[in-house]
Amino acid sequence: MVFSWQGDPGCRCLLLSLLLIPVWEAGSGQVRYSVPEEAKHGTFVGRIAQDLGLELAELVPRLFRLASKGRGDLLEVNLQNGILFVNSRIDREELCGRSAECSLHLEVIVDRPLQVFHVEVEVRDINDNPPVFLEKEQKLFISESRMTHSRFPLEGAWDADVGVNSLLTYKLSDSEYFMLDVNSKNEENKQVELVLRKSLDREEAPDHNLFLTATDQGKPELTGTVQLLVTVLDVNDNAPTFEQSEYEVKIFENSENGTTVIRLNASDRDEGANGEISYSFNSLVPPVITDQFRVDTNTGEIVTRGNLDFENTNLYKIRIDAMDRGHPPMVGHCTVLVKVLDKNDNVPHVALTSLSLPVREDAPFGTVIALISVSDSDSGVNGQVTCSLTPSVPFKLVSTFKNYYSLVLDSALDRESVPSYGVVVTARDGGSPPLSATASVWVEVADVNDNAPAFAQPEHTVFVRENNAPGRHICTLSARDPDAQENARVSYSLVERRVGERALSSYVSVHAESGRVFALQPLDHEELELLQFQVSARDAGVPPLGSNVTLQVFVLDENDNAPALLPGGAGELVPRSLGAGHVVAKVRAVDADSGYNAWLSYELLQPAAAAAGGARGPFRVGLYTGEISTTRALDEADAPRQRLLVLVKDHGEPALTATATVLLSLVESGLAPRASSRAPEGAAGAPTALLDVNVYLIVAICAVSSLLVLTLLLYVALRCAAPPGEGAARARAAGKPALVCASAVGSWSCSQQRRQRVCSGEGPPKTDLMAFSPSLPPCPGSTGAMEVPQASLDSSGKVGGFSLLFIHIFII
């Protein structure tokens, strides 16, 4: 601390030794210090951070701050060293007036976590105020007939200091007529009287000028002086007198106007006009007395005229003069001490400070939400306040110091159940009847990302027709998150995976905000019958939470594939000796569609030339088998070369068709294989029995040669099936080769094969002649089966959900 002292060096050392020791106590969460008033800026008060158990490094991060009731700038804390010092001028008289005790109540608040400490700094009085008289001069009128030792009350001085600094001694200037007498009955009413020590003679000395000096007992001593103007009066030599020089009365505050305080009675030994008395307030009475009381001039009754407030002033000192009507008039004096008694007329005051809102729903028990201070201007039990909470809320009040509470969390919070609470703090005093006051605080519960977005169901199924337009909206997915704001803002995304050799994102996309799912390209039922994937919903919380939903997109078939003719021989040799009902050829076709769209039927558009007279043609085709058989026995009238045009049609809406041209050559029986009336048997399509053993050797040689040529043709056809540049891609997409077989009826196809282009070694690709063997079971190991590229497979090894069909090509 830094002090300036002008007094005795010994006293100065003693005072410095006392002031350099900060007075503090740590009990019930309170620290006490002491500082003299008028201390200079920067004067050391105490090591507040150390005394409160706080680390210097955490003062700034924890938002260490100082708050005080009233003047908040008198003291300050150095956040670098944790020292509490004087920041601005402290005037004890301005803060506490005449109160014997004067202290500053400080609230030290730190956050993270929130803590509050209570510090009281006692402001010690120094002798900085000299005694002051209300008037610069006091006039006294004294009759010359007054006896010696007569007493004349004087208005004493007033010192704003307290304690020893306000104890006054009085000294009168030298006078042969007067002396001073100070009667110290009590500190509240010290009587200063001028005593006549020698009879007055108006003719010798009509006036006397005296000086009254008041000196306090502070260090250093301070003085005040007032001039006493004594006028010597003649004639009336008896002044009125009261029964007591001092009266003490008690009255309750808030008494009605006109309530009688006391009735005074003064007497005068004189007779006539000199003995008639009138009462009045002394001229030196302050205005506050005349505002609150009035005195009846005739009866001496003092009554109230204003509202008495204990909290404002609890003691009044009234000086009454009793003046006779003599010439000159004489005056008697008395003092009335009016003590005001307290009543429970002030409701408690509730103040909510340092609100820490909103409160996170995952806040731990004991989290401080608000600081509450209560006060009551009444005294005694009337000023004792208790607090309670209503209604039933997950909070409680914890008393931290006298009339100070903390509102803390007492049970778990769930914003999704109760987003906010209305808390009412009720303060009730101990008076009779008790008075109460309330304060309300609305506690908002801050959201924590503790709920993941949830879909209404874990799986959704939608149906989409193939060949949809690119960008078509498939469906809208929606997930609900009960959290708030960013924690409830849901974004959607695909759970990426591979669909065959392609990424899922090449087929579909999902809008991140709306959850709308779109098809990015036309879907092909023949390529992909079921597209199953997951969509993820994530909120924007930290950390984000999410969930997935499975979406099954079934691609519905449309009749978008015409029947495709399988490659085969360009012509057949038919013996003229065949009778009716013999199968001579077969048209083979498949349809990449499924269901009714792949159900094929055959129709002969251009039958062979009929016999003269409108006879029907010699050949017909099976409606669902594609087998070309004779309708009658062949004769010489039939042309040697028959050109048949077969129409292949599916059952879609609208129906799609394809045509095949079959060339038949009629030969003599010895030059052609023997016809058979039943379908070929065997997966490899074994050749029919030879009609003549004599040509066996020739047919065998021809068969071996045809096998060699057909093998070469098939190789070339497979190489030409994909356009240049697509062969590698199709090879990668195909994977292992899969066989496709016809169904039991010979034309029903459930294959999801892409249409293949078959090329011969010379000229454009041919698809008009097909050899088909009905009712042949799948024989993946048969030597006559043709391998075609495998379609896109699902996880079960099926193409579009159906078993692979095998196409058997018979070598004639």
Side-chain angles (χ1 to χ4, degrees), residues 280-302:
S280 64
F281 291 115
N282 188 277
S283 61
L284 299 179
V285 167
V288 65
I289 301 296
T290 60
D291 291 340
Q292 298 291 337
F293 304 93
R294 64 181 176 86
V295 59
D296 192 300
T297 58
N298 297 320
T299 64
E301 184 180 35
I302 300 176

Side-chain angles (χ1 to χ4, degrees), residues 582-604:
H582 287 273
V583 176
V584 298
K586 184 175 180 128
V587 177
R588 297 174 180 268
V590 294
D591 195 312
D593 294 323
S594 62
Y596 277 92
N597 296 329
W599 187 13
L600 303 181
S601 62
Y602 302 84
E603 181 182 347
L604 192 60

Side-chain angles (χ1 to χ4, degrees), residues 293-326:
F293 304 93
R294 64 181 176 86
V295 59
D296 192 300
T297 58
N298 297 320
T299 64
E301 184 180 35
I302 300 176
V303 297
T304 61
R305 64 181 302 177
N307 183 42
L308 300 181
D309 189 357
F310 173 85
E311 288 72 33
N312 186 25
T313 304
N314 58 13
L315 177 65
Y316 295 92
K317 185 168 67 172
I318 306 174
R319 294 185 180 273
I320 301 295
D321 292 342
M323 182 179 293
D324 62 20
R325 300 184 186 275

Side-chain angles (χ1 to χ4, degrees), residues 503-523:
L504 173 65
S505 56
S506 65
Y507 287 93
V508 292
S509 69
V510 60
H511 192 271
E513 296 180 1
S514 65
R516 291 165 61 90
V517 181
F518 300 92
L520 297 180
Q521 63 180 8
L523 299 177

Side-chain angles (χ1 to χ4, degrees), residues 130-201:
V132 176
F133 291 91
L134 296 180
E135 300 289 342
K136 294 183 179 180
E137 61 181 22
Q138 294 185 25
K139 296 180 180 181
L140 288 86
F141 300 91
I142 303 176
S143 175
E144 62 176 351
S145 62
R146 295 295 296 265
M147 302 296 291
T148 57
H149 303 295
S150 295
R151 296 175 177 272
F152 306 95
L154 300 176
E155 184 66 25
W158 176 80
D159 196 325
D161 295 321
V162 296
V164 67
N165 295 326
S166 66
L167 298 179
L168 302 180
T169 60
Y170 295 88
K171 181 179 180 182
L172 186 67
S173 60
D174 293 337
S175 173
E176 61 178 322
Y177 292 97
F178 299 95
M179 67 179 181
L180 194 67
D181 185 21
V182 179
N183 185 8
S184 302
K185 292 185 177 181
N186 55 64
E187 290 300 322
E188 294 177 345
N189 187 27
K190 180 178 285 188
Q191 299 288 344
V192 181
E193 295 177 321
L194 190 65
V195 180
L196 184 63
R197 60 190 298 187
K198 180 180 178 181
S199 297
L200 297 174
D201 186 1

Side-chain angles (χ1 to χ4, degrees), residues 62-340:
R62 292 189 61 185
L63 302 179
F64 182 97
R65 60 189 183 275
L66 198 65
S68 67
K69 289 187 176 179
R71 299 290 298 275
D73 56 347
L74 299 179
L75 301 174
E76 190 57 66
V77 176
N78 187 330
L79 298 181
Q80 303 300 322
N81 54 25
I83 292 177
L84 180 66
F85 63 91
V86 176
N87 187 45
S88 61
R89 176 177 175 268
I90 302 176
D91 189 349
R92 184 189 182 282
E93 288 71 31
E94 180 181 350
L95 289 175
C96 304
R98 297 281 300 168
S99 176
E101 295 182 0
C102 184
S103 61
L104 293 173
H105 181 78
L106 307 179
E107 289 182 357
V108 178
I109 302 172
V110 292
D111 293 331
R112 304 171 186 170
L114 179 63
Q115 289 181 282
V116 61
F117 304 91
H118 299 275
V119 178
E120 286 193 3
V121 179
E122 179 188 5
V123 180
R124 300 194 305 276
D125 182 59
I126 66 172
N127 194 27
D128 59 336
N129 291 282
V132 176
F133 291 91
L134 296 180
E135 300 289 342
K136 294 183 179 180
E137 61 181 22
Q138 294 185 25
K139 296 180 180 181
L140 288 86
F141 300 91
I142 303 176
S143 175
E144 62 176 351
S145 62
R146 295 295 296 265
M147 302 296 291
T148 57
H149 303 295
S150 295
R151 296 175 177 272
F152 306 95
L154 300 176
E155 184 66 25
W158 176 80
D159 196 325
D161 295 321
V162 296
V164 67
N165 295 326
S166 66
L167 298 179
L168 302 180
T169 60
Y170 295 88
K171 181 179 180 182
L172 186 67
S173 60
D174 293 337
S175 173
E176 61 178 322
Y177 292 97
F178 299 95
M179 67 179 181
L180 194 67
D181 185 21
V182 179
N183 185 8
S184 302
K185 292 185 177 181
N186 55 64
E187 290 300 322
E188 294 177 345
N189 187 27
K190 180 178 285 188
Q191 299 288 344
V192 181
E193 295 177 321
L194 190 65
V195 180
L196 184 63
R197 60 190 298 187
K198 180 180 178 181
S199 297
L200 297 174
D201 186 1
R202 188 189 63 81
E203 288 71 21
E204 179 182 353
D207 298 303
H208 298 270
N209 292 327
L210 305 175
F211 291 93
L212 178 63
T213 302
T215 304
D216 62 25
Q217 297 183 21
K219 299 297 182 178
E221 296 178 345
L222 300 178
T223 62
T225 303
V226 64
Q227 185 178 9
L228 303 178
L229 300 178
V230 180
T231 300
V232 180
L233 302 177
D234 200 16
V235 187
N236 191 18
D237 58 347
N238 286 289
T241 59
F242 291 91
E243 296 177 354
Q244 298 175 219
S245 61
E246 181 180 305
Y247 297 88
E248 181 177 318
V249 294
K250 297 179 180 180
I251 186 172
F252 279 102
E253 66 175 337
N254 301 325
S255 297
E256 294 181 359
N257 290 345
T259 300
T260 300
V261 178
I262 190 173
R263 183 185 293 268
L264 299 174
N265 185 24
S267 62
D268 194 329
R269 291 181 297 173
D270 294 331
E271 295 181 349
N274 292 332
E276 295 177 2
I277 300 173
S278 63
Y279 302 89
S280 64
F281 291 115
N282 188 277
S283 61
L284 299 179
V285 167
V288 65
I289 301 296
T290 60
D291 291 340
Q292 298 291 337
F293 304 93
R294 64 181 176 86
V295 59
D296 192 300
T297 58
N298 297 320
T299 64
E301 184 180 35
I302 300 176
V303 297
T304 61
R305 64 181 302 177
N307 183 42
L308 300 181
D309 189 357
F310 173 85
E311 288 72 33
N312 186 25
T313 304
N314 58 13
L315 177 65
Y316 295 92
K317 185 168 67 172
I318 306 174
R319 294 185 180 273
I320 301 295
D321 292 342
M323 182 179 293
D324 62 20
R325 300 184 186 275
H327 296 281
M330 300 192 71
V331 180
H333 308 278
C334 77
T335 301
V336 178
L337 294 179
V338 179
K339 293 186 176 181
V340 182

